[in-house]
Amino acid sequence: MTWRFRCSRGRGWISMAKNTPINPPAVTGAGRRELPAYVSNGLIGLRVRDVPLTTGMTLLSGYSGEHYERQIEAAAVAPYPIAGDIALDGAWLSDKSHQISDLQQAYDFSAGELTSRFTFQAEGVSAQVEVLTFCSRVDPTLVCQEVSITVDKGCSLGLRAIVDASGADGRALRHSRVTPGEPEPSTDGALLWESAGGLSTCGVAFVSQVLGVGDQQPTRPPLRDQRLVTEYGFRARAGRKVRLRQIASLIPSALHTLPDQQAARLAAKAANDGFDKIRQQNRAAWDELWKGRIRLEGAEDRWQSLADAAFFYLNSSVHASSPASTSIFGLATWHDYHYYFGHVMWDIEAFAVPALCMLQPEAARALLDYRSSRLDAARQNARLMGRRGIQFPWESAPTSGQEAAPLPGTAAWHEDHVSLDVARAFSLYADATGDREFLRTRAWPVLAGVSEWITTRVSKTGRGYAINESMGIAERENPVDNAAFTNMGAVVVLRDAVRVAADLNLSADPEWTRIADGMALPMRGKAVISHEAYRVDEEKGATPDPLMGLFPFGYRLDPAEEKATLEFYLGMAQDYIGSPMLSALYGAWAARLNDRRLALKLLDEGYGQFCTGRFLQTLEYRADRFPEQPQAGPFFANIGGFLTALLFGFTGLRAGPDAPDAWVERECVLPEGWTSIEVDRLWICGQAMRLVARQGETARLIPL
């Protein structure tokens, strides 16, 4: 789809693809203190180094193991499926990495393709190398890589395609270089890998092909040093391009009980389909996703590039085939950060699901299916705490869905709001998609179970219902009484449950309405404050958790109370902004006060300055405010908060059970200088719709 504009001087038409994203700047050189490129499709996530043949890191949805230090269930590093090596007259790149130069790396967000280039010189020969890497969205178990080499003089050229498990904790249970019962192998080999502690397994199988030198028969030795290697050797001619293609299939035991065998089947299918077809289909899938590009008209190009990067990283980290949701860093990890262990936490439901409901609803559904499929673990968790109903774990283990917080588990003792965040996401998804079957079979059990849990969590006091000894969004050393966000969230969930019960002609416990109507909120004048006995100068006192209750959670205050609460916490913004999660929402909160200048300022301080380093990965902490923190990203609470602000906060939309034309709560208030937010295709109530949200006007959702 393109726009066409007539030049002001009558020189004809200029064609511009309006749904083609702005790619991040290419990167040259090495040795930077920044995260490597992150390539993912939502089932597989890779960290690809600047020399991509060098082994990076792999995470696989649903694959977990025992953490080496904490001894808890955690996302486990899987074998790296697309390592490689090059030899010039017998000198291997892996032995002479100091002879690599001219490194360049570029990311094409429009297709999810990473292209790396470098020069390798050895034995008087210079090789120009280009490496294309992507994860297929159409065939989500597949990782594809093409290595193109051109030498400046004739030489003996060696190429290796490698599956490298040397950096993965665990052990090989078996491997194979043949296809049982067949005269010729259908793949280069398959590996069954067990994680540390034996908590799960994954299967890897791969195929390779060399183009440009005629038919080549490789050697395929047995597993050695935890690596499966396919090696080619031949004479290369000067100036003639040779290509090594690698396709690997990775499958967790969460999706197949014999994952290495299924990986071999899908790798063989990939060889039959061919690299070019897989690449073409992947590009077509990204073309479809980019029809949901969020365009910021009137904004500086920098803001559009940040919106495109946020859109790309969020959508690339989720997939309808994912068996275990995603973590707060998606499927990205690196050596110097691990502190959330790949656990599934409330941030995904609170920050990522709202935008995904309209951008990629089938992936949002997969995130929620993870919770649905582990309801028994949530019920048992409630029982362990002496309560009824459903209490979701604070840090949910990827495989079991049970509590996996590091011992002694202090963070899990009082973090009650996680169940409210999950329940609200189920309600929001049902409203945004209009999926009645989901409402009945998935959302209702969660809403009813969490509402029952609330009845056993609250205490009745002279002021109404209270939730004592709880923890809000700010994880302080000690719990508090009546944490505002927790109480506000409980009211929203209870009212959603009552509404859904009436809609489905089911019975709702009358206690749900009594608690919702009588829930105490801590107030100071007309402003909602963080908790009872709150002090501005207390630990994390500037945390604006009551504002999270307003938006995006959806608790309704009267106009005077909302204004007072917004002004109270926006006045302390500089004491909080730069911290994770809520910083990205400050711009949308300022817009609720109709302050466009402040909205732009706080959006920059609360999100724009988090995006840095290689390919605009959004960090957890703002580096200038927290230089002691490791660079960790892409961080999906920040990304999801930014996208939720764009789609709902500035536009004045609030998804609900009524028709989409009833979603408008107020006129659009955009950051200063922005004229509109437009999206050519959102999925709303099962229908494709266009969003047009112009400054000062009522947003329109137009059926396509």
Side-chain angles (χ1 to χ4, degrees):
M1 186 180 295
T2 58
W3 278 337
R4 300 183 70 211
F5 299 94
R6 187 173 295 279
C7 294
S8 60
R9 297 184 182 180
R11 295 179 181 173
W13 291 95
I14 298 174
S15 186
M16 180 181 2
K18 62 178 177 177
N19 286 328
T20 300
I22 299 173
N23 287 325
V27 180
T28 59
R32 299 165 182 262
R33 185 181 174 271
E34 58 189 10
L35 293 167
Y38 168 55
V39 180
S40 179
N41 61 9
L43 182 64
I44 303 164
L46 305 177
R47 280 290 189 193
V48 182
R49 297 177 184 268
D50 48 8
V51 179
L53 303 184
T54 306
T55 300
M57 299 185 75
T58 309
L59 292 185
L60 183 61
S61 179
Y63 175 67
S64 63
E66 183 180 280
H67 190 265
Y68 69 94
E69 178 185 14
R70 292 291 195 158
Q71 299 179 4
I72 56 174
E73 183 184 335
V77 174
Y80 192 74
I82 51 168
D85 210 348
I86 300 171
L88 303 178
D89 282 337
W92 288 97
L93 179 149
S94 56
D95 294 327
K96 297 183 178 296
S97 59
H98 60 284
Q99 292 176 209
I100 296 170
S101 61
D102 302 326
L103 280 86
Q104 300 177 16
Q105 207 166 46
Y107 215 147
D108 182 0
F109 281 175
S110 71
E113 295 181 350
L114 180 73
T115 300
S116 311
R117 298 180 179 88
F118 58 89
T119 301
F120 173 46
Q121 294 176 311
E123 304 301 311
V125 181
S126 178
Q128 300 299 316
V129 184
E130 180 175 292
V131 184
L132 171 73
T133 309
F134 67 92
C135 295
S136 171
R137 291 202 64 82
V138 176
D139 296 293
T141 76
L142 299 185
V143 179
C144 302
Q145 184 160 279
E146 180 180 77
V147 184
S148 301
I149 309 103
T150 305
V151 295
D152 67 346
K153 62 180 65 174
C155 68
S156 173
L157 182 62
L159 299 175
R160 288 173 178 165
I162 304 170
V163 171
D164 190 354
S166 61
D169 288 338
R171 60 178 181 144
L173 296 182
R174 64 171 175 256
H175 78 280
S176 175
R177 306 308 299 254
V178 301
T179 300
E182 295 291 326
E184 296 294 332
S186 58
T187 71
D188 285 34
L191 172 67
L192 180 64
W193 189 263
E194 182 184 63
S195 66
L199 298 186
S200 61
T201 62
C202 69
V204 188
F206 73 116
V207 293
S208 65
Q209 179 187 25
V210 169
L211 304 175
V213 290
D215 188 33
Q216 295 292 321
Q217 294 301 314
T219 59
R220 299 187 180 103
L223 182 73
R224 181 180 176 184
D225 298 329
Q226 312 291 25
R227 303 195 311 165
L228 282 179
V229 179
T230 294
E231 182 172 329
Y232 298 86
F234 47 86
R235 291 293 299 179
R237 292 165 51 186
R240 183 169 182 177
K241 182 179 293 186
V242 176
R243 290 177 289 169
L244 169 65
R245 288 178 164 179
Q246 302 163 255
I247 305 175
S249 174
L250 283 79
I251 297 178
S253 53
L255 290 176
H256 200 284
T257 55
L258 297 172
D260 57 328
Q261 293 185 9
Q262 184 63 9
R265 295 183 185 101
L266 296 183
K269 177 182 181 296
N272 183 72
D273 291 343
F275 189 97
D276 292 330
K277 179 180 178 180
I278 295 168
R279 184 184 183 191
Q280 180 183 23
Q281 290 178 335
N282 179 65
R283 294 178 73 90
W286 272 108
D287 284 345
E288 280 296 308
L289 281 175
W290 281 111
K291 291 178 181 178
R293 185 189 187 212
I294 304 168
R295 299 195 307 277
L296 311 179
E297 303 300 331
E300 296 178 357
D301 286 348
R302 169 176 174 262
W303 281 112
Q304 186 62 65
S305 68
L306 293 181
D308 290 344
F311 181 101
F312 174 77
Y313 283 119
L314 179 62
N315 281 282
S316 65
S317 296
V318 294
H319 198 281
S321 296
S322 167
S325 188
T326 195
S327 84
I328 196 60
F329 295 113
L331 293 170
T333 188
W334 198 235
H335 300 286
D336 62 353
Y337 72 88
H338 63 274
Y339 35 83
Y340 299 125
F341 307 100
H343 294 159
V344 182
M345 302 178 70
W346 70 280
D347 314 66
I348 296 301
E349 283 82 15
F351 296 99
V353 166
L356 287 170
C357 283
M358 299 198 298
L359 296 173
Q360 198 185 157
E362 67 278 7
R365 171 68 183 263
L367 300 180
L368 299 178
D369 282 347
Y370 165 81
R371 297 289 192 178
S372 290
S373 65
R374 292 156 176 82
L375 285 186
D376 283 345
R379 291 190 184 94
Q380 300 288 24
N381 192 48
R383 291 189 179 111
L384 289 169
M385 302 298 287
R387 297 167 188 146
R388 299 190 308 274
I390 292 171
Q391 181 175 355
F392 288 99
W394 176 239
E395 297 191 34
S396 183
T399 301
S400 67
Q402 297 174 340
E403 182 62 69
L407 298 173
T410 52
W413 295 349
H414 305 288
E415 291 284 2
D416 300 299
H417 69 82
V418 57
S419 297
L420 310 174
D421 297 299
V422 174
R424 177 60 182 150
F426 274 81
S427 177
L428 175 66
Y429 178 89
D431 288 342
T433 63
D435 188 336
R436 299 283 297 174
E437 183 66 13
F438 177 89
L439 183 69
R440 182 179 65 83
T441 62
R442 295 289 188 268
W444 169 249
V446 171
L447 287 167
V450 172
S451 295
E452 182 184 10
W453 168 79
I454 293 172
T455 66
T456 67
R457 182 65 181 89
V458 299
S459 303
K460 191 165 185 180
T461 71
R463 290 183 52 215
Y465 290 92
I467 299 178
N468 295 324
E469 292 190 57
S470 188
M471 191 74 70
I473 293 173
E475 297 173 29
R476 300 180 173 93
E477 184 175 349
N478 297 307
V480 298
D481 293 340
N482 286 327
F485 177 68
T486 302
N487 289 23
M488 296 164 89
V491 171
V492 172
V493 169
L494 289 167
R495 288 178 175 156
D496 281 350
V498 172
R499 166 176 63 82
V500 171
D503 188 18
L504 297 175
N505 198 27
L506 299 170
S507 297
D509 185 344
E511 188 73 0
W512 298 353
T513 299
R514 286 194 288 270
I515 295 172
D517 291 343
M519 183 70 74
L521 273 188
M523 305 286 291
R524 185 158 298 165
K526 289 188 175 296
V528 179
I529 54 176
S530 183
H531 57 84
E532 301 289 354
Y534 165 79
R535 302 189 324 275
V536 173
D537 61 351
E538 70 183 19
E539 178 193 11
K540 301 183 179 180
T543 304
D545 36 353
L547 301 191
M548 177 76 180
L550 284 173
F551 174 81
F553 213 87
Y555 186 90
R556 297 183 184 274
L557 290 172
D558 72 42
E561 291 173 339
E562 176 173 330
K563 183 174 184 292
T565 306
L566 286 165
E567 290 177 341
F568 183 79
Y569 280 98
L570 290 182
M572 293 187 288
Q574 295 306 316
D575 295 328
Y576 178 90
I577 211 160
S579 300
M581 297 185 299
L582 303 189
S583 289
L585 296 169
Y586 271 101
W589 293 330
R592 294 179 81 93
L593 289 176
N594 294 307
D595 192 333
R596 299 183 65 196
R597 178 173 295 182
L598 184 62
L600 182 64
K601 177 178 183 292
L602 294 183
L603 190 64
D604 178 57
E605 296 178 355
Y607 184 76
Q609 295 182 40
F610 283 77
C611 306
T612 185
R614 191 176 292 254
F615 307 131
L616 293 178
Q617 296 184 56
T618 304
L619 301 183
E620 180 183 13
Y621 288 88
R622 216 177 85 186
D624 61 328
R625 297 292 297 269
F626 297 93
E628 74 281 3
Q629 293 290 339
Q631 292 195 7
F635 190 69
F636 286 105
N638 296 343
I639 289 173
F642 175 54
L643 294 176
T644 297
L646 296 182
L647 291 172
F648 294 99
F650 296 123
T651 63
L653 296 178
R654 174 191 169 101
D658 299 321
D661 57 7
W663 286 15
V664 177
E665 279 197 312
R666 55 183 176 79
E667 292 181 345
C668 303
V669 180
L670 307 183
E672 187 177 47
W674 298 16
T675 56
S676 68
I677 295 175
E678 300 186 20
V679 183
D680 281 343
R681 190 190 67 191
L682 295 172
W683 295 106
I684 298 174
C685 296
Q687 185 175 6
M689 292 193 174
R690 182 176 179 230
L691 169 65
V692 179
R694 295 193 176 98
Q695 164 60 29
E697 300 180 8
T698 299
R700 292 182 295 145
L701 291 168
I702 306 163
L704 299 179

